[in-house]
Amino acid sequence: MAGQDKTSENETMMQAFEWYVPADHKHWQRLRDAVAGLKATGIDNLWVPPGCKASSPQGNGYDIYDLYDLGEFDQKGSKPTKWGSKEDLMQLIEKANEVGVGIYWDAVLNHKAAADETQTCLAVEVDPNDRTRETSSPYEIEAWKPKECYLQDRRQRKGDLEQALVKEAPLVETDDKQYWSQSVDKEKGNYDFLMYSDLDYNHPEVVNDVLNWGKWLGNETGIKGIRFDAIKHASQVFKQFVETLDATFGTGWFLVGEFWKDSLPDMCAYLSRMAHKFSLFDAPLVYNFSQLSTTENSDLRKVFDNTLVQVEPYNAVTLVMNHDTQPYQALEVRIEPFFKPLAYALILLRQSGYPCVFYGDLYGIKGDPGNHVQAFGVSCGGKVPDLCLARKLYAYGKQNDYFDYPQCIGWTREGTWDYPHGLACVMSNAGPNEKTMYVGYLHRGEVWTDVLGWEPSEVTIDEHGNGLFPCPGTSVAVWVKRDAPGRERFGKFDADIYKT
């Protein structure tokens, strides 16, 4: 309508991998073929896995070896990474740009792996539970370090000046008297060291090299954002990294950090230290989902208590599962299957937070039979894409909450002038239930049905704009006008990504 501002379109991110994707170097190809279908179901941006060369052809990229090798050079056992060649990666990005999907890179900047040679240096051992307390006198160790090398285009790649931190958590001492960084999380006394060879961001040349890599990556690939891995362990560099990107490319990149900790005060303090330059994944919300799904007669009204999306909605990326919390991983968080549709409705259909859906829930988890790791099929009865589409088409306008009963909650979205159709969501973690909710006076007389198809009845909106919306037991129903534009698009997602 003339004179009215256009409503911002809802966006959704997908983590475009799970831990057990086959190491067949075809992942970039599969994503390229799938990206148009993902866009059609309401997914706008893909967080892709670490695409830099890992320690082996099977490495997921968190065992990072070479920041500048995107599957281009024959080292560590292959030319392509686990995910594919650089050519495949660029074809994925080209296709994504064509259909309007952004690519977010997974940047692993805390450490390096698979070093090529050693050097002698002094080290002291520290208490693994309090790394500020030394438990030995200095002695010589052989610490891993990378070789100096040059890329084919004669662009020099520095050796990153890293020092290996060996044993549980020793302190490496050099002529520069290196110590733990003080701008990191205080877990274990000091959480500078995580794994492999820790990068020393107290050294200016290391900082400059990583900042230059960020500029190179943006120019080389045309990505739209970055997910920073392990930011609890090297926080000081990330603020500089963001400022460098802003100065080089302008604002507008999406940046999110992995600060995985079930402590809202620590997360908020980190955002404050970083001047709210980027977002964080809402780990406390994931733990709330787990507690609610595994506790009998749990109170759904408390689902957002002490979560990042509750107190910092602009900087919260909401999620249900990721590659670290999926089954058999070190940070596994158990969420019962019946609860996953409820959880996805809670992150996708409400006004706060930027939701991130998980590849393993859309396409299944492959597992690893050789290591007794079970495979899992698609979750939520294949309905996660439909929930994404409902977000894209209908989850707009004023939100009315009905968090008034412990085992049954709901909310409505009244719609806007340019997204007028509205939505009602009701869920139960016990038996079948129903809830009278207001969807707006403009919807009176409309007939609404469940886009998920789990609740077969119809609801007629009364003269006051209210409807009595039912839902099945331990389930969720998402109600929209029966003949709203876009209803014919539901149930069309192709989840067979491994068919080629």
Side-chain angles (χ1 to χ4, degrees):
M1 295 176 64
Q4 295 197 50
D5 293 335
K6 182 176 175 58
T7 303
S8 296
E9 187 175 88
N10 290 331
E11 291 203 345
T12 301
M13 178 199 326
M14 184 182 85
Q15 179 179 356
F17 63 102
E18 54 95 5
W19 195 259
Y20 300 106
V21 167
D24 57 5
H25 315 303
K26 294 182 179 180
H27 191 61
W28 297 145
Q29 297 176 22
R30 286 188 288 263
L31 288 179
R32 179 200 63 206
D33 294 341
V35 70
L38 291 167
K39 179 65 175 180
T41 202
I43 292 171
D44 305 280
N45 298 289
L46 301 183
W47 155 23
V48 299
C52 302
K53 185 60 60 69
S55 65
S56 76
Q58 296 78 39
N60 280 347
Y62 298 102
D63 53 336
I64 187 167
Y65 172 70
D66 186 343
L67 282 169
Y68 285 98
D69 185 354
L70 308 182
E72 185 177 7
F73 305 109
D74 189 1
Q75 51 182 349
K76 293 303 172 185
S78 71
K79 176 183 173 181
T81 67
K82 171 180 176 175
W83 316 108
S85 68
K86 183 180 180 182
E87 293 84 356
D88 294 335
L89 170 64
M90 298 310 296
Q91 289 175 15
L92 162 62
I93 295 173
E94 180 181 7
K95 183 64 176 180
N97 288 337
E98 178 186 316
V99 301
V101 170
I103 298 295
Y104 299 161
W105 192 262
D106 198 329
V108 182
L109 303 176
N110 174 72
H111 54 265
K112 289 288 191 69
D116 301 296
E117 57 189 39
T118 64
Q119 67 180 25
T120 301
C121 63
L122 288 173
V124 296
E125 297 181 33
V126 299
D127 185 335
N129 296 313
D130 180 5
R131 296 172 176 180
T132 64
R133 189 174 73 85
E134 298 180 4
T135 59
S136 77
S137 300
Y139 61 92
E140 285 191 349
I141 64 169
E142 289 295 313
W144 289 105
K145 76 180 189 73
K147 292 179 180 178
E148 296 281 339
C149 70
Y150 294 82
L151 301 184
Q152 291 179 359
D153 63 359
R154 299 183 182 276
R155 178 183 58 249
Q156 183 176 5
R157 176 167 57 78
K158 295 286 188 181
D160 295 315
L161 304 172
E162 66 191 70
Q163 298 290 343
L165 300 183
V166 296
K167 298 187 179 178
E168 176 62 27
L171 169 64
V172 172
E173 295 189 1
T174 67
D175 292 338
D176 295 326
K177 201 69 175 177
Q178 290 179 302
Y179 291 101
W180 302 121
S181 170
Q182 297 305 306
S183 63
V184 297
D185 191 61
K186 301 307 179 185
E187 189 174 341
K188 300 180 185 293
N190 182 292
Y191 221 173
D192 187 1
F193 176 76
L194 176 63
M195 62 176 72
Y196 299 117
S197 298
D198 194 68
L199 292 181
D200 177 23
Y201 284 111
N202 291 317
H203 202 300
E205 288 193 47
V206 178
V207 173
N208 289 336
D209 188 60
V210 169
L211 297 181
N212 287 334
W213 172 80
K215 292 185 285 187
W216 172 83
L217 181 71
N219 286 318
E220 190 79 5
T221 63
I223 58 173
K224 305 299 184 185
I226 292 180
R227 178 260 188 190
F228 295 106
D229 183 58
I231 62 172
K232 288 193 298 183
H233 311 279
S235 62
Q236 68 180 25
V237 75
F238 295 109
K239 186 176 179 182
Q240 294 173 265
F241 199 100
V242 172
E243 292 168 348
T244 298
L245 292 179
D246 286 348
T248 305
F249 302 106
T251 58
W253 278 38
F254 177 74
L255 304 166
V256 59
E258 182 226 0
F259 190 100
W260 199 260
K261 190 172 186 179
D262 190 14
S263 171
L264 184 61
D266 287 349
M267 298 180 78
C268 292
Y270 183 88
L271 284 173
S272 180
R273 290 199 304 274
M274 296 298 109
H276 290 76
K277 290 285 187 179
F278 52 88
S279 299
L280 298 179
F281 291 101
D282 197 344
L285 180 62
V286 175
Y287 290 110
N288 280 5
F289 289 155
S290 176
Q291 189 274 330
L292 289 169
S293 80
T294 57
T295 305
E296 188 174 359
N297 296 321
S298 57
D299 190 342
L300 293 174
R301 297 173 299 180
K302 298 180 179 180
V303 63
F304 293 113
D305 287 0
N306 300 310
T307 61
L308 191 65
V309 73
Q310 183 185 59
V311 299
E312 296 277 7
Y314 181 78
N315 294 98
V317 172
T318 53
L319 71 163
V320 178
M321 182 175 286
N322 66 20
H323 65 292
D324 285 325
T325 68
Q326 73 178 80
Y328 298 97
Q329 289 304 293
L331 298 177
E332 177 180 354
V333 179
R334 178 185 170 195
I335 298 177
E336 291 297 323
F338 88 88
F339 196 83
K340 272 195 171 183
L342 284 66
Y344 271 113
L346 285 159
I347 70 169
L348 287 165
L349 303 180
R350 296 177 59 77
Q351 62 188 6
S352 296
Y354 180 15
C356 178
V357 300
F358 180 50
Y359 177 100
D361 287 325
L362 275 75
Y363 295 115
I365 293 173
K366 276 295 189 180
D368 184 1
N371 289 307
H372 307 289
V373 174
Q374 177 185 348
F376 296 86
V378 299
S379 73
C380 305
K383 298 296 185 180
V384 175
D386 286 344
L387 288 166
C388 293
L389 187 57
R391 170 179 173 80
K392 176 63 71 175
L393 297 177
Y394 310 125
Y396 297 93
K398 182 182 177 182
Q399 179 173 291
N400 305 301
D401 284 339
Y402 295 84
F403 282 39
D404 52 2
Y405 185 72
Q407 277 74 56
C408 181
I409 62 172
W411 65 92
T412 66
R413 306 293 300 275
E414 294 186 29
T416 63
W417 72 268
D418 48 351
Y419 291 93
H421 307 292
L423 172 151
C425 181
V426 60
M427 61 181 61
S428 169
N429 65 346
N433 217 316
E434 59 186 10
K435 193 173 289 291
T436 298
M437 299 189 294
Y438 178 75
V439 296
Y441 181 73
L442 294 177
H443 296 294
R444 65 194 188 280
E446 295 177 353
V447 177
W448 288 31
T449 59
D450 176 20
V451 299
L452 302 178
W454 289 341
E455 174 55 58
S457 60
E458 295 182 343
V459 173
T460 300
I461 309 304
D462 69 20
E463 61 184 1
H464 303 294
N466 297 309
L468 179 60
F469 297 99
C471 73
T474 58
S475 189
V476 59
V478 180
W479 298 87
V480 174
K481 184 182 177 184
R482 181 174 56 191
D483 56 353
R487 288 294 300 259
E488 73 284 353
R489 295 167 57 183
F490 287 80
K492 302 294 179 61
F493 183 73
D494 182 4
D496 187 10
I497 198 170
Y498 295 105
K499 57 180 174 292
T500 58

PDB file of all heavy atoms in Angstrom, residues 3 26 38-39 54 120 172 188 191 200 213 233 238-239 247 252 263 273 322-323 327 338 384 387 397 464 488:
ATOM      1  N   GLY A   3       2.610   4.542   0.878  1.00  0.00           N
ATOM      2  CA  GLY A   3       2.878   5.210   2.136  1.00  0.00           C
ATOM      3  C   GLY A   3       3.230   4.284   3.281  1.00  0.00           C
ATOM      4  O   GLY A   3       3.575   4.763   4.356  1.00  0.00           O
ATOM      5  N   LYS A  26      31.920 -35.194  -2.616  1.00  0.00           N
ATOM      6  CA  LYS A  26      30.792 -34.800  -3.460  1.00  0.00           C
ATOM      7  C   LYS A  26      29.782 -33.903  -2.742  1.00  0.00           C
ATOM      8  O   LYS A  26      28.713 -33.623  -3.276  1.00  0.00           O
ATOM      9  CB  LYS A  26      30.072 -36.048  -3.989  1.00  0.00           C
ATOM     10  CG  LYS A  26      30.914 -36.888  -4.933  1.00  0.00           C
ATOM     11  CD  LYS A  26      30.121 -38.088  -5.459  1.00  0.00           C
ATOM     12  CE  LYS A  26      30.970 -38.911  -6.427  1.00  0.00           C
ATOM     13  NZ  LYS A  26      30.209 -40.080  -6.944  1.00  0.00           N
ATOM     14  N   LEU A  38      16.020 -25.841  -1.611  1.00  0.00           N
ATOM     15  CA  LEU A  38      16.097 -25.238  -0.283  1.00  0.00           C
ATOM     16  C   LEU A  38      15.549 -23.814  -0.304  1.00  0.00           C
ATOM     17  O   LEU A  38      14.809 -23.410   0.598  1.00  0.00           O
ATOM     18  CB  LEU A  38      17.546 -25.251   0.213  1.00  0.00           C
ATOM     19  CG  LEU A  38      18.104 -26.632   0.541  1.00  0.00           C
ATOM     20  CD1 LEU A  38      19.620 -26.578   0.711  1.00  0.00           C
ATOM     21  CD2 LEU A  38      17.461 -27.191   1.807  1.00  0.00           C
ATOM     22  N   LYS A  39      15.886 -23.064  -1.335  1.00  0.00           N
ATOM     23  CA  LYS A  39      15.349 -21.706  -1.461  1.00  0.00           C
ATOM     24  C   LYS A  39      13.830 -21.742  -1.579  1.00  0.00           C
ATOM     25  O   LYS A  39      13.125 -20.922  -0.964  1.00  0.00           O
ATOM     26  CB  LYS A  39      15.958 -21.020  -2.681  1.00  0.00           C
ATOM     27  CG  LYS A  39      15.445 -19.601  -2.920  1.00  0.00           C
ATOM     28  CD  LYS A  39      15.854 -18.653  -1.798  1.00  0.00           C
ATOM     29  CE  LYS A  39      15.443 -17.232  -2.118  1.00  0.00           C
ATOM     30  NZ  LYS A  39      15.828 -16.280  -1.053  1.00  0.00           N
ATOM     31  N   ALA A  54      42.037 -30.013   5.463  1.00  0.00           N
ATOM     32  CA  ALA A  54      42.133 -30.610   6.794  1.00  0.00           C
ATOM     33  C   ALA A  54      43.343 -31.529   6.871  1.00  0.00           C
ATOM     34  O   ALA A  54      44.145 -31.627   5.941  1.00  0.00           O
ATOM     35  CB  ALA A  54      40.845 -31.374   7.103  1.00  0.00           C
ATOM     36  N   THR A 120      62.282 -27.127  18.789  1.00  0.00           N
ATOM     37  CA  THR A 120      62.533 -27.260  20.226  1.00  0.00           C
ATOM     38  C   THR A 120      62.167 -25.961  20.933  1.00  0.00           C
ATOM     39  O   THR A 120      62.517 -24.864  20.478  1.00  0.00           O
ATOM     40  CB  THR A 120      64.005 -27.589  20.484  1.00  0.00           C
ATOM     41  OG1 THR A 120      64.333 -28.817  19.819  1.00  0.00           O
ATOM     42  CG2 THR A 120      64.270 -27.746  21.980  1.00  0.00           C
ATOM     43  N   VAL A 172      53.461 -23.035  26.713  1.00  0.00           N
ATOM     44  CA  VAL A 172      54.675 -22.954  25.922  1.00  0.00           C
ATOM     45  C   VAL A 172      55.394 -21.659  26.224  1.00  0.00           C
ATOM     46  O   VAL A 172      54.797 -20.592  26.210  1.00  0.00           O
ATOM     47  CB  VAL A 172      54.348 -23.043  24.421  1.00  0.00           C
ATOM     48  CG1 VAL A 172      55.578 -22.754  23.587  1.00  0.00           C
ATOM     49  CG2 VAL A 172      53.807 -24.416  24.100  1.00  0.00           C
ATOM     50  N   LYS A 188      38.177 -23.619  33.167  1.00  0.00           N
ATOM     51  CA  LYS A 188      39.464 -24.265  33.450  1.00  0.00           C
ATOM     52  C   LYS A 188      40.542 -23.237  33.829  1.00  0.00           C
ATOM     53  O   LYS A 188      41.729 -23.450  33.621  1.00  0.00           O
ATOM     54  CB  LYS A 188      39.945 -25.097  32.261  1.00  0.00           C
ATOM     55  CG  LYS A 188      39.007 -26.219  31.835  1.00  0.00           C
ATOM     56  CD  LYS A 188      39.554 -26.989  30.654  1.00  0.00           C
ATOM     57  CE  LYS A 188      38.565 -28.028  30.162  1.00  0.00           C
ATOM     58  NZ  LYS A 188      38.344 -29.114  31.126  1.00  0.00           N
ATOM     59  N   TYR A 191      40.707 -20.606  29.105  1.00  0.00           N
ATOM     60  CA  TYR A 191      40.327 -21.546  28.049  1.00  0.00           C
ATOM     61  C   TYR A 191      40.961 -21.179  26.709  1.00  0.00           C
ATOM     62  O   TYR A 191      40.373 -21.395  25.647  1.00  0.00           O
ATOM     63  CB  TYR A 191      38.804 -21.596  27.908  1.00  0.00           C
ATOM     64  CG  TYR A 191      38.264 -23.001  27.686  1.00  0.00           C
ATOM     65  CD1 TYR A 191      36.901 -23.228  27.679  1.00  0.00           C
ATOM     66  CD2 TYR A 191      39.109 -24.087  27.487  1.00  0.00           C
ATOM     67  CE1 TYR A 191      36.384 -24.508  27.483  1.00  0.00           C
ATOM     68  CE2 TYR A 191      38.616 -25.363  27.292  1.00  0.00           C
ATOM     69  CZ  TYR A 191      37.253 -25.563  27.288  1.00  0.00           C
ATOM     70  OH  TYR A 191      36.748 -26.833  27.089  1.00  0.00           O
ATOM     71  N   ASP A 200      48.873 -18.312  18.468  1.00  0.00           N
ATOM     72  CA  ASP A 200      49.213 -17.297  19.459  1.00  0.00           C
ATOM     73  C   ASP A 200      48.812 -15.922  18.930  1.00  0.00           C
ATOM     74  O   ASP A 200      49.565 -15.260  18.216  1.00  0.00           O
ATOM     75  CB  ASP A 200      50.714 -17.348  19.750  1.00  0.00           C
ATOM     76  CG  ASP A 200      51.135 -16.264  20.726  1.00  0.00           C
ATOM     77  OD1 ASP A 200      50.284 -15.776  21.490  1.00  0.00           O
ATOM     78  OD2 ASP A 200      52.324 -15.890  20.716  1.00  0.00           O
ATOM     79  N   TRP A 213      43.850 -13.167   5.618  1.00  0.00           N
ATOM     80  CA  TRP A 213      43.136 -14.325   5.083  1.00  0.00           C
ATOM     81  C   TRP A 213      41.642 -14.012   4.958  1.00  0.00           C
ATOM     82  O   TRP A 213      41.005 -14.394   3.968  1.00  0.00           O
ATOM     83  CB  TRP A 213      43.328 -15.538   5.987  1.00  0.00           C
ATOM     84  CG  TRP A 213      42.462 -16.692   5.578  1.00  0.00           C
ATOM     85  CD1 TRP A 213      42.696 -17.577   4.562  1.00  0.00           C
ATOM     86  CD2 TRP A 213      41.209 -17.067   6.155  1.00  0.00           C
ATOM     87  NE1 TRP A 213      41.664 -18.486   4.464  1.00  0.00           N
ATOM     88  CE2 TRP A 213      40.741 -18.202   5.425  1.00  0.00           C
ATOM     89  CE3 TRP A 213      40.443 -16.573   7.203  1.00  0.00           C
ATOM     90  CZ2 TRP A 213      39.530 -18.827   5.739  1.00  0.00           C
ATOM     91  CZ3 TRP A 213      39.240 -17.199   7.508  1.00  0.00           C
ATOM     92  CH2 TRP A 213      38.786 -18.307   6.779  1.00  0.00           C
ATOM     93  N   HIS A 233      37.866 -19.355  22.876  1.00  0.00           N
ATOM     94  CA  HIS A 233      39.275 -19.665  23.055  1.00  0.00           C
ATOM     95  C   HIS A 233      40.221 -18.645  22.426  1.00  0.00           C
ATOM     96  O   HIS A 233      41.424 -18.737  22.610  1.00  0.00           O
ATOM     97  CB  HIS A 233      39.564 -21.051  22.472  1.00  0.00           C
ATOM     98  CG  HIS A 233      38.593 -22.090  22.939  1.00  0.00           C
ATOM     99  ND1 HIS A 233      38.712 -22.719  24.171  1.00  0.00           N
ATOM    100  CD2 HIS A 233      37.471 -22.584  22.382  1.00  0.00           C
ATOM    101  CE1 HIS A 233      37.712 -23.568  24.324  1.00  0.00           C
ATOM    102  NE2 HIS A 233      36.936 -23.502  23.263  1.00  0.00           N
ATOM    103  N   PHE A 238      38.583 -11.782  17.075  1.00  0.00           N
ATOM    104  CA  PHE A 238      37.356 -11.778  16.289  1.00  0.00           C
ATOM    105  C   PHE A 238      36.782 -10.365  16.128  1.00  0.00           C
ATOM    106  O   PHE A 238      36.217 -10.048  15.085  1.00  0.00           O
ATOM    107  CB  PHE A 238      36.333 -12.730  16.909  1.00  0.00           C
ATOM    108  CG  PHE A 238      36.781 -14.160  16.847  1.00  0.00           C
ATOM    109  CD1 PHE A 238      37.174 -14.829  17.988  1.00  0.00           C
ATOM    110  CD2 PHE A 238      36.841 -14.824  15.641  1.00  0.00           C
ATOM    111  CE1 PHE A 238      37.611 -16.136  17.925  1.00  0.00           C
ATOM    112  CE2 PHE A 238      37.268 -16.140  15.568  1.00  0.00           C
ATOM    113  CZ  PHE A 238      37.659 -16.801  16.719  1.00  0.00           C
ATOM    114  N   LYS A 239      36.930  -9.541  17.135  1.00  0.00           N
ATOM    115  CA  LYS A 239      36.470  -8.159  16.994  1.00  0.00           C
ATOM    116  C   LYS A 239      37.279  -7.449  15.917  1.00  0.00           C
ATOM    117  O   LYS A 239      36.717  -6.733  15.078  1.00  0.00           O
ATOM    118  CB  LYS A 239      36.589  -7.433  18.330  1.00  0.00           C
ATOM    119  CG  LYS A 239      35.997  -6.026  18.309  1.00  0.00           C
ATOM    120  CD  LYS A 239      36.068  -5.394  19.693  1.00  0.00           C
ATOM    121  CE  LYS A 239      35.492  -3.978  19.675  1.00  0.00           C
ATOM    122  NZ  LYS A 239      35.591  -3.326  20.998  1.00  0.00           N
ATOM    123  N   ALA A 247      35.599  -2.767   7.100  1.00  0.00           N
ATOM    124  CA  ALA A 247      36.389  -1.765   6.395  1.00  0.00           C
ATOM    125  C   ALA A 247      36.662  -2.169   4.952  1.00  0.00           C
ATOM    126  O   ALA A 247      36.764  -1.309   4.063  1.00  0.00           O
ATOM    127  CB  ALA A 247      37.711  -1.527   7.133  1.00  0.00           C
ATOM    128  N   GLY A 252      27.120  -5.456   6.404  1.00  0.00           N
ATOM    129  CA  GLY A 252      26.104  -6.263   5.739  1.00  0.00           C
ATOM    130  C   GLY A 252      26.379  -7.751   5.776  1.00  0.00           C
ATOM    131  O   GLY A 252      25.479  -8.550   5.546  1.00  0.00           O
ATOM    132  N   SER A 263      25.484 -20.762  29.889  1.00  0.00           N
ATOM    133  CA  SER A 263      25.594 -19.684  30.869  1.00  0.00           C
ATOM    134  C   SER A 263      25.203 -18.381  30.199  1.00  0.00           C
ATOM    135  O   SER A 263      25.997 -17.781  29.462  1.00  0.00           O
ATOM    136  CB  SER A 263      27.029 -19.583  31.413  1.00  0.00           C
ATOM    137  OG  SER A 263      27.168 -18.414  32.211  1.00  0.00           O
ATOM    138  N   ARG A 273      31.539  -7.327  25.419  1.00  0.00           N
ATOM    139  CA  ARG A 273      32.960  -7.107  25.143  1.00  0.00           C
ATOM    140  C   ARG A 273      33.204  -6.925  23.648  1.00  0.00           C
ATOM    141  O   ARG A 273      34.082  -6.177  23.228  1.00  0.00           O
ATOM    142  CB  ARG A 273      33.806  -8.270  25.663  1.00  0.00           C
ATOM    143  CG  ARG A 273      33.901  -8.379  27.165  1.00  0.00           C
ATOM    144  CD  ARG A 273      35.090  -9.218  27.582  1.00  0.00           C
ATOM    145  NE  ARG A 273      35.082 -10.556  27.004  1.00  0.00           N
ATOM    146  CZ  ARG A 273      34.453 -11.609  27.531  1.00  0.00           C
ATOM    147  NH1 ARG A 273      33.751 -11.441  28.651  1.00  0.00           N
ATOM    148  NH2 ARG A 273      34.506 -12.790  26.959  1.00  0.00           N
ATOM    149  N   ASN A 322      22.936 -29.223  16.229  1.00  0.00           N
ATOM    150  CA  ASN A 322      24.016 -28.951  15.289  1.00  0.00           C
ATOM    151  C   ASN A 322      24.982 -30.130  15.257  1.00  0.00           C
ATOM    152  O   ASN A 322      24.725 -31.178  15.866  1.00  0.00           O
ATOM    153  CB  ASN A 322      24.732 -27.627  15.613  1.00  0.00           C
ATOM    154  CG  ASN A 322      25.485 -27.662  16.938  1.00  0.00           C
ATOM    155  OD1 ASN A 322      25.815 -28.717  17.476  1.00  0.00           O
ATOM    156  ND2 ASN A 322      25.773 -26.485  17.473  1.00  0.00           N
ATOM    157  N   HIS A 323      26.086 -29.979  14.556  1.00  0.00           N
ATOM    158  CA  HIS A 323      27.025 -31.088  14.367  1.00  0.00           C
ATOM    159  C   HIS A 323      27.706 -31.497  15.662  1.00  0.00           C
ATOM    160  O   HIS A 323      28.190 -32.628  15.761  1.00  0.00           O
ATOM    161  CB  HIS A 323      28.076 -30.704  13.335  1.00  0.00           C
ATOM    162  CG  HIS A 323      28.965 -29.578  13.769  1.00  0.00           C
ATOM    163  ND1 HIS A 323      28.506 -28.283  13.919  1.00  0.00           N
ATOM    164  CD2 HIS A 323      30.275 -29.540  14.115  1.00  0.00           C
ATOM    165  CE1 HIS A 323      29.495 -27.510  14.326  1.00  0.00           C
ATOM    166  NE2 HIS A 323      30.580 -28.244  14.456  1.00  0.00           N
ATOM    167  N   PRO A 327      23.663 -36.887  17.838  1.00  0.00           N
ATOM    168  CA  PRO A 327      24.003 -38.133  18.532  1.00  0.00           C
ATOM    169  C   PRO A 327      25.432 -38.582  18.266  1.00  0.00           C
ATOM    170  O   PRO A 327      25.948 -38.447  17.157  1.00  0.00           O
ATOM    171  CB  PRO A 327      22.989 -39.133  17.970  1.00  0.00           C
ATOM    172  CG  PRO A 327      21.808 -38.298  17.600  1.00  0.00           C
ATOM    173  CD  PRO A 327      22.384 -36.996  17.104  1.00  0.00           C
ATOM    174  N   PHE A 338       9.654 -36.711  19.725  1.00  0.00           N
ATOM    175  CA  PHE A 338       8.332 -36.082  19.729  1.00  0.00           C
ATOM    176  C   PHE A 338       8.424 -34.581  19.901  1.00  0.00           C
ATOM    177  O   PHE A 338       7.539 -33.826  19.461  1.00  0.00           O
ATOM    178  CB  PHE A 338       7.456 -36.672  20.848  1.00  0.00           C
ATOM    179  CG  PHE A 338       7.609 -35.982  22.179  1.00  0.00           C
ATOM    180  CD1 PHE A 338       6.839 -34.873  22.504  1.00  0.00           C
ATOM    181  CD2 PHE A 338       8.536 -36.426  23.119  1.00  0.00           C
ATOM    182  CE1 PHE A 338       6.980 -34.225  23.727  1.00  0.00           C
ATOM    183  CE2 PHE A 338       8.684 -35.793  24.335  1.00  0.00           C
ATOM    184  CZ  PHE A 338       7.903 -34.693  24.651  1.00  0.00           C
ATOM    185  N   VAL A 384      10.097 -30.418   8.793  1.00  0.00           N
ATOM    186  CA  VAL A 384      10.897 -29.213   9.019  1.00  0.00           C
ATOM    187  C   VAL A 384      10.846 -28.273   7.813  1.00  0.00           C
ATOM    188  O   VAL A 384      10.684 -27.055   7.976  1.00  0.00           O
ATOM    189  CB  VAL A 384      12.348 -29.575   9.394  1.00  0.00           C
ATOM    190  CG1 VAL A 384      13.208 -28.312   9.495  1.00  0.00           C
ATOM    191  CG2 VAL A 384      12.394 -30.344  10.712  1.00  0.00           C
ATOM    192  N   LEU A 387       7.678 -26.271   7.991  1.00  0.00           N
ATOM    193  CA  LEU A 387       7.741 -25.232   9.015  1.00  0.00           C
ATOM    194  C   LEU A 387       8.552 -24.035   8.517  1.00  0.00           C
ATOM    195  O   LEU A 387       8.210 -22.872   8.810  1.00  0.00           O
ATOM    196  CB  LEU A 387       8.335 -25.794  10.301  1.00  0.00           C
ATOM    197  CG  LEU A 387       7.426 -26.749  11.078  1.00  0.00           C
ATOM    198  CD1 LEU A 387       8.220 -27.510  12.139  1.00  0.00           C
ATOM    199  CD2 LEU A 387       6.271 -25.992  11.730  1.00  0.00           C
ATOM    200  N   GLY A 397       3.652 -10.076  11.418  1.00  0.00           N
ATOM    201  CA  GLY A 397       2.696  -9.236  12.124  1.00  0.00           C
ATOM    202  C   GLY A 397       2.735  -9.403  13.630  1.00  0.00           C
ATOM    203  O   GLY A 397       3.576 -10.108  14.195  1.00  0.00           O
ATOM    204  N   HIS A 464     -15.418 -12.139  16.148  1.00  0.00           N
ATOM    205  CA  HIS A 464     -14.511 -11.309  16.944  1.00  0.00           C
ATOM    206  C   HIS A 464     -13.040 -11.512  16.566  1.00  0.00           C
ATOM    207  O   HIS A 464     -12.161 -10.887  17.161  1.00  0.00           O
ATOM    208  CB  HIS A 464     -14.699 -11.609  18.426  1.00  0.00           C
ATOM    209  CG  HIS A 464     -16.103 -11.418  18.909  1.00  0.00           C
ATOM    210  ND1 HIS A 464     -16.714 -10.178  18.953  1.00  0.00           N
ATOM    211  CD2 HIS A 464     -17.037 -12.320  19.340  1.00  0.00           C
ATOM    212  CE1 HIS A 464     -17.954 -10.310  19.395  1.00  0.00           C
ATOM    213  NE2 HIS A 464     -18.175 -11.596  19.643  1.00  0.00           N
ATOM    214  N   GLU A 488      -0.339 -24.617  -1.730  1.00  0.00           N
ATOM    215  CA  GLU A 488      -0.044 -25.724  -2.644  1.00  0.00           C
ATOM    216  C   GLU A 488       1.441 -26.104  -2.649  1.00  0.00           C
ATOM    217  O   GLU A 488       1.822 -27.155  -3.176  1.00  0.00           O
ATOM    218  CB  GLU A 488      -0.477 -25.353  -4.067  1.00  0.00           C
ATOM    219  CG  GLU A 488       0.389 -24.328  -4.781  1.00  0.00           C
ATOM    220  CD  GLU A 488       0.178 -22.882  -4.319  1.00  0.00           C
ATOM    221  OE1 GLU A 488      -0.755 -22.648  -3.512  1.00  0.00           O
ATOM    222  OE2 GLU A 488       0.939 -21.987  -4.764  1.00  0.00           O
TER     223      GLU A 488
END
